[in-house]
Amino acid sequence: MTQNKKMKYALHRVGFKRIGWLVCLLILVSGCGLKYSLSGAATTAKTIQVDLFYNNTDLGPANLGQNFTNKLKDYYQRNSSLKVVQENGELLIEGTIVQYAVAPLAPVAGTSAAQPSQAALTRLTIGVKANYVDTKVPKNSFKDKTFSFYADFPNDQNLISIQESLENKIFDQIFLDIFNATLANW
């Protein structure tokens, strides 16, 4: 056999193996009994109701709850085929923002006795407590589940000037965690 024929034969065998694995994978996924979409959502529900997440923190901005709720609605619309409705959703999620904390992190010693030690970084942490009701599969529901995340920033930066970008970064991770806990059942 010539080198060219050997190469064609090897490529031909690899192609059949890949097709075989793909067929096996499709059979396994179709036998799971769940509706699965490419977004990772495993549900037969068509609608979700996202009620207002109330801001129950001392330090958080007044509009924090409304911003969180609106961005969570957008997240579900972008990452699932669910329609966000105002009432009577097959799925319901609501909750409270329970933590908005700013804390010093990574202390650095001062250069002299006159200059005290200070933190090189500051951490913003946001935490929410959520309730989820799944009318299609009630065992997937949960109550008072906590989700939190944080973002660090240099101490020489003013929180007010970077607050929105930090909140968005933290929200993105919390949204992913909530999405996984509700629709992906993780």
Side-chain angles (χ1 to χ4, degrees), residues 105 121-124 150-154 166 169:
L105 193 67
L121 293 174
T122 303
R123 175 171 287 176
L124 173 63
Y150 62 88
D152 298 335
F153 61 96
L166 291 174
K169 178 181 176 184

Side-chain angles (χ1 to χ4, degrees), residues 1-7:
M1 213 182 267
T2 67
Q3 184 68 15
N4 197 15
K5 286 185 181 182
K6 286 181 185 179
M7 182 72 98

Side-chain angles (χ1 to χ4, degrees), residues 113-161:
Q115 183 184 26
S117 299
Q118 62 180 3
L121 293 174
T122 303
R123 175 171 287 176
L124 173 63
T125 304
I126 299 175
V128 301
K129 218 175 246 195
N131 300 315
Y132 173 67
V133 178
D134 185 336
T135 61
K136 294 289 193 175
V137 185
K139 70 177 178 111
N140 291 340
S141 300
F142 56 79
K143 186 167 180 61
D144 292 333
K145 189 167 188 169
T146 302
F147 302 90
S148 68
F149 200 67
Y150 62 88
D152 298 335
F153 61 96
N155 196 37
D156 61 353
Q157 287 187 319
N158 184 351
L159 175 61
I160 301 299
S161 65

